[in-house]
Amino acid sequence: MKPYLTILLDSFRMLRSKAIFWVSLIITLLVAVLYLSLGFDEKGVTLFFGLTSFETELIRKGTPSAERLYLGIFTNYIAEIWLAWIAVLLGLISCGSLFPNAMKEGSAGMLLTKKPSRFGVFLAKFVGSLFFVAIQVILFVLVVLIALRWRVGEWNFSIFWYVPLVLLVFTYLYSFMVLIAVKTRSVMTALILTLVLWGISSIVGSIEGSLYQFTQTDTSVVEISPSKENNEFEDLEDSQATDRWYTRVKAIYGFLPKTGRTMEIADRLLVVNGKRGYNRGSMLDIMMGNVSQEESAMAEATTLAANRHSVSYAIGTSSLFALVMLSLAAWLFCRRDY
Amino acid sequence: MSEYVVDLSGIRKTYRGGVEALKGIDLQVPEGCIYGLLGPNGAGKSTMVKILTTLIKKSGGTGTMLGRPLGDRTALQQVGLLPEHAQFPDYLTGRQVIEFTAGLQNVPTAETKQRTDELLDLVQMTEAQQRKIKSYSKGMKQRIGIAQALVNDPKIVFLDEPTDGVDPAGRRDFRVLMKKLREEGRTIFINTHILSELEPIVDRVAIISEGQLRGEGVLDDLRASTPEYSIEFEGTLSIEAANAMKAEAIKVESGLITVSTSYATEVQPVIDQLRQENLVIVKIERRTQSLEDLFIDLIDSTKAATPPPIPS
């Protein structure tokens, strides 16, 4: 066990030595503190720890809508943009050189000629890379936990679901990056190709989501509009064509890592007002003045669209992708000459 | 079990693209000696060390190291390595590099501290141990490299170009250290192209060229030519004496007489003759074939034996 702990400790030391680790850690904490600075009082919403505020009757301290809004800002903006994109990107940039550096002639001689097997070294290096994202996300979520306690008045431990989910998203992409890095030994090639994969996956995911909504709407139009008798046949044909496209895109998407869908799983696991499941549409409801506990039709539609993939499908197929990539990378790492 | 710490038979390595780096090497390294592996650039020296330390997989042949098949991880735990162009993580201190290797080799924590202190002292790096590697000179890095190679108390130590970039004082220290390690019963396998470094300390050498073993054994046995005595003098030797010497296969030139013999007694009559003719003897020197001469002779003979390419 000691040799593997030594590799993990070395990974941590390496990360600690990198300026980007500290820069992204500081920015992460700044974003978290900025979130913390948002609050509520008896008159409405306060910003920058009460430096400025605006009055509203809808969202005040202690109201259920305050918690929904506060969580909404976190899930819709901070988690969606910062955790799901920027933190993962910084992680990829920081950890990109880990494998190519370990495979350099003089370094490989230091690492691969010792007691641990090559596969053991590979796994330890991979797990060590996860430290980077894990440390950032855990710290971030801790500040958010404190913010929720302070601003909303309850300890919402369900936000810790973001830690494994962000790590999963990072793992999907990083496994591909490691494969390219092991194959080419080039940090830049690995990073660029990973970003391309990420982009393709996101675009295909968006198309799949749009086609899903379109096919659902189209079907309902055909079904509830008997007056459009002249166009009924054409509508049905269009609908079938769209269905076919949706099936194709969904099949392609099945092979790709589902970064967006994985992050959306957090919504289903969050506990809001004592109930499991958070609807991103409910934040729009609040902004539009609907502060009741009942969800609007729009919020329900958002929930329906977000839940079109089961948790096991989103995580299972993506994890399978990561497993295949990692297996190939490990195979290459173990059999090649150094 | 083999009586040799390294026992190789017909080791071959063919790289992708068909480049044959090793063409069937047989090598036996006895325990407790300093073994030198010599050869020009691209001869296959590093490939050989990399096969022994599992960095490269052999294409053919069999072999054992410390009585276990090549690639056995248990054997590797008793091996120390300073690779060529060793790159230590620049965020570590010299001490941490040694401790890192100790961790990888599963050296117990209490033992690690004691051995690290001893090794830092041995390579004279105690004062600089807390400095980051990036602030070290090349020579300091090599010293740390040797120390980390010894942290697991290895039975066999592979040193690939260990004095590359090291200053003369550092090289002298290196030779002293190698002798000390041999006295401790370790086998030291040195891969180098700096022949003068090896000659004073090496017990056995193997010379490889173009992937093949050209010579192997104790250095004195490998030396093809007989030692010779050269006598430099001032003045002119008489024609009669010169002719008499030439008749006995003694080489006579202006101011220089060369006698090919291993025995000093055979030189005495020549000295007597010079004294008798009142010539001033300036210098008497016993010369043997140097390792460099031997190396060049073997490599040249290989090239001569290789038929020229057939024109297309």
Side-chain angles (χ1 to χ4, degrees), chain B residues 177-205:
Chain B
L177 180 60
M178 291 305 107
K179 286 178 183 172
K180 195 173 177 183
L181 294 175
R182 177 175 55 192
E183 283 164 16
E184 290 173 1
R186 298 181 212 280
T187 307
I188 303 136
F189 196 101
I190 304 174
N191 188 355
T192 185
H193 66 275
I194 305 172
L195 305 178
S196 57
E197 290 305 310
L198 213 54
E199 193 162 7
I201 55 169
V202 75
D203 297 311
R204 290 181 78 90
V205 292

Side-chain angles (χ1 to χ4, degrees), chain B residues 250-264:
Chain B
I250 295 171
K251 199 171 160 188
V252 181
E253 293 166 278
S254 174
L256 178 69
I257 296 172
T258 308
V259 186
S260 290
T261 179
S262 301
Y263 308 104

Side-chain angles (χ1 to χ4, degrees), chain A residues 2 114 118 334 337-338, chain B residues 13 54-55 57 73 107:
Chain A
K2 190 180 178 187
K114 306 294 185 289
R118 282 192 185 184
C334 293
D337 290 336
Y338 293 91
Chain B
K13 177 64 189 177
T54 73
L55 282 169
K57 290 181 175 64
R73 293 272 152 193
V107 178

Side-chain angles (χ1 to χ4, degrees), chain A residues 212-254:
Chain A
Y212 173 83
Q213 286 179 346
F214 191 63
T215 51
Q216 291 300 104
T217 312
D218 203 29
T219 307
S220 63
V221 166
V222 173
E223 283 173 359
I224 64 171
S225 306
S227 60
K228 293 184 176 178
E229 282 178 13
N230 294 339
N231 298 327
E232 191 174 349
F233 190 68
E234 282 177 21
D235 284 346
L236 192 64
E237 267 194 344
D238 286 350
S239 171
Q240 283 171 345
T242 315
D243 278 347
R244 277 198 298 276
W245 271 108
Y246 173 66
T247 310
R248 284 171 196 160
V249 173
K250 192 183 174 189
I252 294 167
Y253 193 46

Side-chain angles (χ1 to χ4, degrees), chain B residues 36-40 45 190-192 195 198 205-209 291 295:
Chain B
L37 184 62
L38 311 173
K45 305 188 300 289
I190 304 174
N191 188 355
T192 185
L195 305 178
L198 213 54
V205 292
I207 296 174
I208 60 172
S209 163
L291 182 56
F295 176 79

Side-chain angles (χ1 to χ4, degrees), chain B residues 32-36 82 119 122-123 142-143 145-147 149-150 156-163 170-192 197-203:
Chain B
C33 70
I34 299 178
Y35 197 96
L82 172 63
L119 289 167
L122 186 71
V123 297
Q142 289 297 85
R143 283 168 191 265
I146 291 170
L150 297 170
I156 179 165
V157 188
F158 290 97
L159 304 171
D160 201 349
E161 303 291 358
T163 53
R171 290 179 180 191
R172 186 197 56 214
D173 293 344
F174 168 76
R175 289 195 292 270
V176 172
L177 180 60
M178 291 305 107
K179 286 178 183 172
K180 195 173 177 183
L181 294 175
R182 177 175 55 192
E183 283 164 16
E184 290 173 1
R186 298 181 212 280
T187 307
I188 303 136
F189 196 101
I190 304 174
N191 188 355
T192 185
E197 290 305 310
L198 213 54
E199 193 162 7
I201 55 169
V202 75
D203 297 311

Side-chain angles (χ1 to χ4, degrees), chain A residues 48-320:
Chain A
F48 306 114
F49 297 103
L51 275 179
T52 179
S53 63
F54 62 89
E55 292 183 12
T56 169
E57 289 180 2
L58 304 174
I59 309 157
R60 288 181 175 173
K61 192 177 181 181
T63 58
S65 54
E67 183 179 359
R68 281 161 66 193
L69 177 73
Y70 207 62
L71 263 176
I73 292 168
F74 174 66
T75 55
N76 288 25
Y77 300 106
I78 296 177
E80 181 78 10
I81 297 167
W82 179 256
L83 288 181
W85 285 93
I86 300 172
V88 173
L89 179 66
L90 287 173
L92 291 174
I93 293 169
S94 303
C95 303
S97 61
L98 216 132
F99 276 90
N101 281 352
M103 292 167 71
K104 278 182 187 167
E105 192 186 358
S107 306
M110 294 295 297
L111 199 60
L112 302 176
T113 58
K114 306 294 185 289
K115 188 173 182 275
S117 66
R118 282 192 185 184
F119 184 66
V121 170
F122 178 87
L123 276 188
K125 280 267 165 200
F126 186 83
V127 172
S129 313
L130 301 182
F131 277 154
F132 183 90
V133 178
I135 292 168
Q136 306 267 347
V137 179
I138 288 170
L139 275 176
F140 188 82
V141 169
L142 273 175
V143 178
V144 171
L145 181 79
I146 293 164
L148 283 169
R149 174 70 183 93
W150 188 13
R151 301 304 187 189
V152 183
E154 67 173 62
W155 292 109
N156 193 339
F157 292 102
S158 66
I159 59 164
F160 275 99
W161 280 111
Y162 276 99
V163 178
L165 290 172
V166 173
L167 275 177
L168 267 176
V169 170
F170 178 74
T171 305
Y172 305 156
L173 298 169
Y174 190 57
S175 59
F176 178 77
M177 191 177 189
V178 169
L179 173 63
I180 304 295
V182 169
K183 179 69 187 161
T184 64
R185 301 195 204 193
S186 161
V187 182
M188 199 47 78
T189 309
L191 183 63
I192 290 170
L193 288 179
T194 306
L195 294 180
V196 168
L197 172 82
W198 198 1
I200 290 171
S201 166
S202 301
I203 290 167
V204 173
S206 298
I207 294 170
E208 189 266 350
S210 303
L211 281 173
Y212 173 83
Q213 286 179 346
F214 191 63
T215 51
Q216 291 300 104
T217 312
D218 203 29
T219 307
S220 63
V221 166
V222 173
E223 283 173 359
I224 64 171
S225 306
S227 60
K228 293 184 176 178
E229 282 178 13
N230 294 339
N231 298 327
E232 191 174 349
F233 190 68
E234 282 177 21
D235 284 346
L236 192 64
E237 267 194 344
D238 286 350
S239 171
Q240 283 171 345
T242 315
D243 278 347
R244 277 198 298 276
W245 271 108
Y246 173 66
T247 310
R248 284 171 196 160
V249 173
K250 192 183 174 189
I252 294 167
Y253 193 46
F255 291 102
L256 292 170
K258 288 142 203 79
T259 53
R261 297 294 89 77
T262 302
M263 287 305 292
E264 282 170 12
I265 289 168
D267 294 353
R268 303 186 207 181
L269 300 167
L270 280 180
V271 175
V272 190
N273 300 142
K275 267 174 61 183
R276 185 170 291 277
Y278 176 78
N279 189 333
R280 295 189 184 204
S282 70
M283 188 177 154
L284 286 172
D285 283 351
I286 296 165
M287 286 177 158
M288 292 168 75
N290 174 20
V291 293
S292 73
Q293 292 290 317
E294 298 300 317
E295 286 182 344
S296 67
M298 182 174 64
E300 278 182 15
T302 311
T303 307
L304 188 71
N307 292 350
R308 70 186 181 280
H309 296 308
S310 67
V311 173
S312 55
Y313 172 80
I315 292 183
T317 53
S318 305
S319 299
L320 190 65

